[in-house]
Amino acid sequence: MMRLSRTALVMGTVLCLADSNWGQADGQKLFESRCYSCHNIGGGDKQGPDLKGLTDRRTSEWIGEFTKSPVTMKGKDPVAAELFQKYSPTIMPDQSLTPEELAALIALIKDLSTKNEMFVPAGAKLARDIVPDDIPAGQRLFTGQVRLANGAAACNSCHSVDGTGALGGGTLGPDLTAANVKYRDPELITILQNPNFPTMNTIFKDRKLTDEEVVQVFAYLQHLKQTNPEARVVPTQPAATIEPRFLILGFGVTTLALIGMNLMWRKRSHGVRKQLVRRSKI
């Protein structure tokens, strides 16, 4: 009897541990296989909303009911209706998750949100090791000196980094000097492989970086962290922000152009003016 009780206790412990491990490991697998194509956790909206902080905004019951039948929720819940309107025409299909699977996904979302971390799929690895030549090659790709193979715009069309010249890069996106401070290596690799931010998603949808370009641009961004150890994460500037360098440059170029035009055409109609002056003295 005593041996039977001991066996039952051991089996119960094993089952509990197995259940715990399932929740942690398979939550990652489930999200990558079932959710990551449309959702992120901490990486920005995709076809569906970023789920970071979802467990703080909605109850587990709400999440479970929405996941089971989004269309049904749309008809009876104003938040669900608002989500449908925002992400139209994409419609989330019904998901047949077991209670354990749903619990694992909710646990994953809550865990990453609490840690302020981004979901990183298992495939977030470089195609090869970085070599020293990758840094200047990555800089040339970033600044557009070398075109990206699939025709996407160069990084500095929207972003800037320290040392890109007096005019810097674009201001549509944030300065990336501290990109390696803001993101862990796997997260940054994931962003380069599959840009998921709304604007980048559109630009790179059919023009993704090649594996080789990912290695080189990543090497360059990683190098920036080493050469700018004090760099801080700079948020994206509001669209209405005025960039003083361009304002001053524009004023200077316009002034020089007017001076040049005046010098070039200073003798225009000279003969006519000369006759008018002579007649005025008669």
Side-chain angles (χ1 to χ4, degrees):
M1 182 68 182
M2 191 170 179
R3 179 179 296 176
L4 182 62
S5 299
R6 188 178 300 167
T7 303
L9 178 62
V10 171
M11 288 298 295
T13 303
V14 170
L15 287 174
C16 288
L17 289 174
D19 183 64
S20 174
N21 289 334
W22 189 95
Q24 293 175 2
D26 287 78
Q28 292 269 346
K29 293 179 182 177
L30 270 172
F31 190 85
E32 186 169 348
S33 62
R34 302 282 293 273
C35 314
Y36 190 65
S37 59
C38 296
H39 294 283
N40 248 324
I41 304 175
D45 290 350
K46 298 169 76 174
Q47 295 182 57
D50 187 335
L51 301 183
K52 182 179 180 180
L54 175 64
T55 52
D56 295 330
R57 301 189 297 272
R58 301 285 171 263
T59 64
S60 298
E61 291 74 19
W62 189 97
I63 297 172
E65 196 171 352
F66 185 93
T67 306
K68 185 178 180 180
S69 181
V71 174
T72 302
M73 281 288 281
K74 175 188 173 186
K76 63 180 183 180
D77 184 274
V79 174
E82 186 178 337
L83 287 172
F84 266 79
Q85 183 176 5
K86 181 176 180 179
Y87 294 95
S88 176
T90 301
I91 298 177
M92 177 176 167
D94 296 353
Q95 301 294 316
S96 56
L97 298 170
T98 66
E100 291 79 12
E101 290 173 333
L102 180 62
L105 288 173
I106 291 175
L108 175 69
I109 294 168
K110 185 177 182 61
D111 182 54
L112 293 180
S113 300
T114 302
K115 295 177 180 175
N116 196 28
E117 293 181 355
M118 178 176 136
F119 176 79
V120 179
K125 298 177 182 177
L126 295 176
R128 62 171 174 79
D129 292 337
I130 293 173
V131 297
D133 287 345
D134 289 329
I135 297 172
Q139 184 179 23
R140 289 191 290 272
L141 289 171
F142 189 97
T143 57
Q145 297 176 53
V146 175
R147 290 179 59 84
L148 295 168
N150 291 324
C155 307
N156 74 341
S157 301
C158 300
H159 298 281
S160 186
V161 294
D162 186 76
T164 52
L167 296 179
T171 56
L172 179 61
D175 185 295
L176 298 183
T177 307
N180 268 285
V181 176
K182 185 176 182 179
Y183 299 107
R184 298 177 300 162
D185 287 355
E187 294 170 347
L188 190 54
I189 293 170
T190 300
I191 293 172
L192 293 174
Q193 291 173 330
N194 298 290
N196 292 317
F197 302 104
T199 303
M200 292 183 69
N201 194 23
T202 302
I203 295 173
F204 289 92
K205 183 179 179 181
D206 300 317
R207 300 176 177 179
K208 292 184 178 180
L209 273 65
T210 64
D211 290 344
E212 189 69 6
E213 291 169 342
V214 169
V215 172
Q216 294 172 341
V217 174
F218 176 82
Y220 175 56
L221 295 176
Q222 193 178 54
H223 173 71
L224 289 173
K225 178 183 177 182
Q226 298 167 356
T227 54
N228 299 274
E230 303 299 325
R232 296 184 177 182
V233 176
V234 179
T236 304
Q237 297 295 318
T241 300
I242 296 176
E243 174 53 65
R245 288 176 300 178
F246 294 112
L247 184 63
I248 295 172
L249 179 64
F251 180 79
V253 170
T254 302
T255 302
L256 290 175
L258 290 174
I259 293 173
M261 292 167 63
N262 186 56
L263 292 174
M264 183 182 300
W265 294 327
R266 67 184 186 280
K267 294 183 178 179
R268 69 187 188 283
S269 303
H270 181 75
V272 176
R273 288 203 303 271
K274 189 175 181 179
Q275 292 183 25
L276 290 174
V277 171
R278 188 181 69 241
R279 291 177 182 176
S280 66
K281 293 179 180 178
I282 296 175

